[in-house]
Amino acid sequence: MRIAHFSDPHLLDVSSATLRDFASAKVLAGSLNVVFNRARKHRTECFAALVDDLNAQDLDHVVCTGDLVNLGLRPEFQRAAELLGRIRLGPAGVTLVPGNHDYYTAAAMTEQRFERALGAYATGDGQTRPDYPFLRLRDDLAVAGLCSAYASPLGLADGRLGPAQLRAAEALLTRVEVRERFRLVLVHHPPVVHRGWFARNLRDREALQAMLARAGADLVLHGHDHHDERAAIPGPGGSIPVIGVGSASYDDWRLDRAARYHVFEIAGRKLVRVTTRVWDRDADRFRELV
Ligand SMILES: [Fe+2]
Ligand SMILES: [Fe+2]
């Protein structure tokens, strides 16, 4: 089984945003950040090239751990839906969970802009709309999607899962038909602290780790930090690998920052190999990082 993981494309589009969209102080502050910082670094063209590269690989499933957009604006979600629509596997073969930028404002969250535009990629088996946690069974793979995002106040980029979601996730992960598959858990915020600033971390990460130590999982994937990161947390039968991936749209000559995605090769219940495909600025295409 071959599974690709990308995250944090932060697609930009303020073209048809209305004045009302900028009424939120957070959107205003975020817009300045976009204008002066992100817009130069996160390029839609890089992400479009990533999608082309994904389509050239022999993959069974693709997963994304959120921050599809920047300011939670409707045009950004339309652009995200258009680009994700180009992935050949289609919504049944592509699984998404939201990030904090997908719920950037209270309006984005209450209007369910992520779920309306991208819900087909975040709907569990037997469900008609996204509800977290969700579960998708695909051949030998079981994907559990968690939502750690919420409309955090200005200055915060933290996440939380909450006891109800953790209980429901534990119930999903311990089902018989799930335990006999390769159990992949998706969450936007890292379940361990890689970068020490409290305002951007997962608040109930210890509760998540405790739940996974009881229930077990074969791999946990996350985004949010815009860096490749690796950790391991205790599981019932040994440690569980926790792997984060850098941004899917970052246009940078440095190979440790440039837009990238990971490909996981899985045999039965074992993770056999992880490779990174990275944006090569000079060649204007993605290639394997060696
Ligand atoms: Fe992000
Ligand atoms: Fe994030």
Side-chain angles (χ1 to χ4, degrees):
M1 210 163 39
R2 284 164 56 87
I3 298 167
H5 171 219
F6 70 85
S7 198
D8 297 77
H10 285 270
L11 299 169
L12 295 163
D13 194 340
V14 290
S15 57
S16 54
T18 63
L19 264 183
R20 241 184 81 223
D21 287 322
F22 294 95
S24 148
K26 199 175 169 192
V27 169
L28 266 181
S31 305
L32 291 175
N33 183 25
V34 162
V35 169
F36 291 112
N37 199 355
R38 282 186 194 268
R40 280 181 301 170
K41 284 295 181 185
H42 293 280
R43 279 183 54 224
T44 301
E45 293 79 2
C46 281
F47 182 62
L50 185 149
V51 170
D52 289 342
D53 198 70
L54 275 181
N55 283 334
Q57 309 299 315
D58 182 22
L59 297 168
D60 297 286
H61 205 79
V62 172
V63 299
C64 167
T65 43
D67 280 358
L68 275 298
V69 302
N70 253 298
L71 303 171
L73 301 174
R74 276 171 293 250
E76 294 181 316
F77 283 113
Q78 279 160 19
R79 173 156 295 189
E82 191 267 310
L83 285 158
L84 286 176
R86 296 185 195 173
I87 303 178
R88 224 176 267 149
L89 286 168
V94 181
T95 303
L96 302 185
V97 293
N100 51 305
H101 280 262
D102 301 314
Y103 290 171
Y104 199 67
T105 57
M109 195 167 161
T110 54
E111 288 176 21
Q112 298 203 307
R113 291 176 190 165
F114 173 89
E115 285 76 12
R116 281 168 193 264
L118 304 166
Y121 301 92
T123 300
D125 292 345
Q127 296 181 326
T128 52
R129 59 181 183 79
D131 193 15
Y132 310 102
F134 64 82
L135 176 71
R136 295 177 131 194
L137 303 182
R138 302 287 184 271
D139 299 320
D140 293 334
L141 175 70
V143 188
L146 274 55
C147 174
S148 60
Y150 78 107
S152 54
L154 179 61
L156 293 188
D158 62 326
R160 57 184 63 153
L161 294 158
Q165 188 178 186
L166 285 167
R167 271 196 305 275
E170 184 163 5
L172 291 180
L173 288 169
T174 49
R175 281 195 205 165
V176 177
E177 70 273 29
V178 176
R179 294 169 76 111
E180 64 197 14
R181 289 177 159 86
F182 186 89
R183 291 181 288 180
L184 174 60
V185 175
L186 306 180
V187 59
H188 177 68
H189 292 80
V192 295
V193 172
H194 286 287
R195 280 150 209 277
W197 190 37
F198 85 97
R200 55 171 290 110
N201 286 319
L202 183 65
R203 289 189 183 257
D204 47 4
R205 58 186 178 272
E206 281 170 16
L208 171 61
Q209 288 176 29
M211 183 279 278
L212 291 169
R214 289 190 302 270
D218 297 295
L219 178 62
V220 180
L221 298 180
H222 67 83
H224 189 57
D225 282 346
H226 300 194
H227 284 274
D228 286 359
E229 292 167 332
R230 279 186 186 231
I233 56 173
S239 62
I240 303 169
V242 174
I243 301 179
V245 67
S247 165
S249 64
Y250 212 68
D251 185 24
D252 201 298
W253 57 269
R254 292 169 297 178
L255 288 177
D256 62 328
R257 292 304 310 277
R260 65 224 291 111
Y261 67 97
H262 290 151
V263 178
F264 299 94
E265 286 173 37
I266 292 150
R269 295 280 304 278
K270 257 191 114 55
L271 174 58
V272 200
R273 192 161 172 250
V274 187
T275 49
T276 304
R277 292 193 63 84
V278 67
W279 171 245
D280 183 331
R281 212 182 198 187
D282 297 326
D284 215 30
R285 63 176 181 83
F286 278 73
R287 65 168 171 82
E288 188 170 324
L289 185 65
V290 282

